[in-house]
Amino acid sequence: MNQAQMMKLRKMQKQMMEAQEKLEQSIFTGTAGGGVVTAKVKGTHEVVEVIIDPEAAKDDIEMVQDMIVLAINDANKKVEAESQKLLGGFGGGMGLF
């Protein structure tokens, strides 16, 4: 590997690390039941908050439990989409990824 390729690789690694850090610090919001349940998930897939409409919770707890799962899954899909957007371009690089 020559000097120019090494510099290009280092630059790409730095950009990839910055994109990964941005993703990890981002918060993604998923919802279910028309906003009955809202889940907030970090870019690391860590659930940081679940908000439940108290009026809906008293009617059918099993439905609300299902909506919690759906809201978290919705937020995680957004994490994956953003991950592909931010990090997907690094796969082509120099044949290393």
Side-chain angles (χ1 to χ4, degrees):
M1 185 177 293
N2 67 33
Q3 182 93 10
Q5 288 174 320
M6 187 64 84
M7 289 177 65
K8 184 177 178 181
L9 178 61
R10 285 189 181 135
K11 181 180 177 185
M12 189 170 57
Q13 286 175 328
K14 182 179 183 222
Q15 290 172 335
M16 189 169 75
M17 288 175 59
E18 288 170 353
Q20 182 70 34
E21 186 175 313
K22 179 181 176 183
L23 177 68
E24 289 175 359
Q25 292 177 358
S26 297
I27 301 288
F28 299 85
T29 302
T31 60
V36 171
V37 175
T38 301
K40 294 185 180 183
V41 176
K42 285 186 178 181
T44 58
H45 294 280
E46 176 186 350
V47 178
V48 293
E49 184 176 21
V50 175
I51 303 165
I52 302 168
D53 178 352
E55 289 300 311
K58 67 181 180 180
D59 293 335
D60 187 353
I61 194 68
E62 289 176 4
M63 179 186 70
V64 174
Q65 290 169 336
D66 290 342
M67 283 191 240
I68 291 169
V69 171
L70 292 171
I72 292 170
N73 288 340
D74 182 42
N76 278 324
K77 285 178 188 175
K78 292 175 182 175
V79 171
E80 290 303 317
E82 185 69 9
S83 178
Q84 279 299 315
K85 188 172 98 179
L86 290 176
L87 302 173
F90 293 106
M94 294 172 22
L96 299 173
F97 300 100

